[in-house]
């Protein structure tokens, strides 16, 4: 019953919040994304068919 032991429920809630935050931070920082700064320039240099000829 929550009325009998509110301190235990509070500690359980804090534990779940800490585990949730730890899981999210480990998941966020475990991947290394290589962002290519020249991707937009390479994308714009693609030769397109000129249909107005």
């Amino acid at each position: 019953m929550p009325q009998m032991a509110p301190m235990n429920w509070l500690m359980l809630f804090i534990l779940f919040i800490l585990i949730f935050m730890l899981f999210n931070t480990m998941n966020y920082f475990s991947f290394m994304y290589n962002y290519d700064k020249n991707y937009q320039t390479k994308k714009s240099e693609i030769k397109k068919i000129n249909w107005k000829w």
Side-chain angles (χ1 to χ4, degrees), residues 6-23:
M7 196 64 182
N8 290 338
W9 287 100
L10 182 65
M11 293 302 290
L12 190 65
F13 177 71
I14 291 171
L15 181 68
F16 284 154
I17 294 295
L18 288 174
I19 290 172
F20 179 73
M21 291 177 70
L22 181 70
F23 177 75

Side-chain angles (χ1 to χ4, degrees), residues 41-48:
T41 56
K42 288 178 185 176
K43 191 175 180 182
S44 62
E45 289 175 358
I46 295 174
K47 304 268 184 188
K48 296 181 180 176

